[in-house]
Amino acid sequence: MKESFGAWLKPLRRERGLSQGRTCLRAGISGMTLFDLERDKTYPAAVQAKTLYGLALTLGIDPGELMKR
């Protein structure tokens, strides 16, 4: 079974040495958005593309990889 988006996202952020606050500032998203994504309270498809793009850039991954998840 494929891991959830949140189960993939949170460890990736931590591997990059980023706090939730720093990630939000760099990605231009609210703390609640990141909190909900990491806890699978919000489905990624329901989030604006610019939010996911900002996360991808902040985490240093290809935006396409983030979209696949």
Side-chain angles (χ1 to χ4, degrees), residues 2-59:
K2 189 175 181 180
E3 68 184 335
S4 72
F5 186 79
W8 171 79
L9 180 63
K10 189 173 185 176
L12 180 64
R13 174 182 59 78
R14 288 181 170 171
E15 286 172 14
R16 303 294 194 266
L18 295 168
S19 66
Q20 284 185 331
R22 175 74 60 197
T23 302
C24 292
L25 285 173
R26 290 184 182 180
I29 62 173
S30 74
M32 188 56 72
T33 297
L34 182 60
F35 182 84
D36 287 347
L37 284 169
E38 288 189 347
R39 284 154 189 81
D40 296 312
K41 302 280 186 198
T42 299
Y43 190 66
V47 178
Q48 293 183 358
K50 70 179 184 176
T51 297
L52 296 177
Y53 185 75
L55 273 175
L57 292 179
T58 300
L59 297 172

